[in-house]
Amino acid sequence: MAQGNNSIKKILIVAFALCIVCSVIVSTAAVALRPTQQLNQELDRKTNILNVARLYEPGMDVEEAFREQITARVVELETGDYTDEFDPETFDGFEAARDPATGRTLSGDRDIAGLSRVENYATVYLVGDEENPDQIVLPIRGQGLWGRMMGFLSIEGDGNTIVSITYYDHSETPGLGAEVNNPRWQAQWEGKEIYDEEGDLSPAIHLTKGGASNEYEVDALSGATLTSNGVTNMLQFWLSEEGFGPYLAKFREGTEPEDAENTDTDFEDGEGA
């Protein structure tokens, strides 16, 4: 007896064919749209950098503004000097952190930001004159309540005074931890100082409950203790000797970061400075 159109065999054949066609369409679309997605991601990154430096204006040509006002350099974290070994336009800190040749493992008290691994080099963004910048924009990241928080911190050219902070990617709770994106909370950071008068590489800046009482404190997020701790921890890490501490020290001391001729680092996988 001939099989009807509703036979199991024919249904499976049609379903399989549809799956193949849909897979081809989705794959083709993903490949075709990848360049556009990458351009959009790059535009978003530049917009966030301009925003944290308080240079962004709605409707502006982001690419032109970034090109005219921002200089990207790659810094060797251990020495605080620049390196030309990597192209700052294409250098990927996440990939560098995974590579044993350019990253290192963190554990215990050294991993206060919950990163597990970190790169030995990082890209910084200089506003204005490259040798005497008005601002220095640093990428920061660390563990929040629900996942990784990623943002930028802008510091004046003195290497100590905060201009602004912003987070462009996080999964914190709306109305609580997600208040890191609230302009009123972000406004508290202006003029705060990172290091105290002792002048070492241990950052004093932190979030505190009950309201800030000095230049090293920012009011914690209400009802979001773990997110607030995450913000403090990532700043304590990235502004210490493990992160950008040696680089910022050069600006506080009035010396300029040098262009290292040899970028071989003494950092070893699993060891710090």
Side-chain angles (χ1 to χ4, degrees):
M1 180 180 295
Q3 293 181 330
N5 290 331
N6 293 327
S7 68
I8 295 178
K9 182 178 180 181
K10 288 188 176 181
I11 291 174
L12 292 175
I13 292 174
V14 171
F16 179 76
L18 285 174
C19 289
I20 295 297
V21 171
C22 291
S23 297
V24 171
I25 293 174
V26 171
S27 299
T28 302
V31 172
L33 294 175
R34 186 173 301 160
T36 300
Q37 293 172 341
Q38 292 174 339
L39 288 175
N40 288 338
Q41 290 174 352
E42 182 69 8
L43 183 63
D44 184 66
R45 179 182 66 87
K46 293 178 178 179
T47 298
N48 278 287
I49 293 171
L50 290 170
N51 184 53
V52 77
R54 298 188 172 176
L55 300 173
Y56 176 76
E57 297 179 3
M60 73 185 310
D61 187 327
V62 171
E63 291 288 353
E64 181 180 357
F66 192 91
R67 183 172 57 252
E68 293 180 351
Q69 301 182 71
I70 307 292
T71 301
R73 296 296 305 269
V74 176
V75 173
E76 183 181 15
L77 296 181
E78 183 189 24
T79 64
D81 288 324
Y82 298 123
T83 174
D84 292 326
E85 183 175 346
F86 307 101
D87 182 356
E89 296 299 323
T90 58
F91 180 74
D92 188 331
F94 296 102
E95 292 299 324
R98 297 188 184 101
D99 187 344
T102 54
R104 63 191 190 276
T105 300
L106 300 172
S107 61
D109 294 339
R110 291 179 52 237
D111 191 21
I112 59 174
L115 299 171
S116 297
R117 287 191 61 85
V118 68
E119 59 271 27
N120 294 335
Y121 305 86
T123 306
V124 299
Y125 304 91
L126 308 175
V127 179
D129 182 61
E130 182 178 347
E131 295 184 356
N132 187 28
D134 298 321
Q135 297 181 51
I136 308 160
V137 177
L138 308 177
I140 56 174
R141 68 182 188 275
Q143 191 71 18
L145 173 59
W146 300 114
R148 188 67 51 86
M149 301 173 63
M150 300 173 61
F152 291 106
L153 177 72
S154 182
I155 303 168
E156 291 185 8
D158 63 3
N160 193 42
T161 306
I162 294 176
V163 176
S164 184
I165 191 171
T166 187
Y167 288 94
Y168 61 89
D169 187 21
H170 66 81
S171 53
E172 301 306 285
T173 307
L176 296 174
E179 289 295 290
V180 292
N181 284 338
N182 189 320
R184 288 179 295 179
W185 182 77
Q186 293 178 346
Q188 298 182 67
W189 291 84
E190 182 178 5
K192 296 295 181 178
E193 296 185 5
I194 299 171
Y195 305 96
D196 58 26
E197 296 178 355
E198 294 182 3
D200 57 20
L201 298 184
S202 299
I205 187 71
H206 64 281
L207 272 61
T208 183
K209 293 182 179 180
S213 60
N214 58 52
E215 63 270 32
Y216 309 112
E217 296 181 346
V218 174
D219 194 16
L221 298 161
S222 179
T225 300
L226 293 181
T227 301
S228 296
N229 290 343
V231 172
T232 292
N233 289 338
M234 76 177 72
L235 292 179
Q236 292 285 317
F237 176 84
W238 286 109
L239 300 174
S240 73
E241 62 182 351
E242 293 278 6
F244 296 105
Y247 175 67
L248 294 176
K250 293 179 180 291
F251 291 94
R252 298 199 308 280
E253 296 165 358
T255 60
E256 298 176 3
E258 299 178 355
D259 290 297
E261 295 181 0
N262 185 350
T263 59
D264 289 341
T265 176
D266 290 334
F267 274 130
E268 294 183 5
D269 191 33
E271 298 184 5

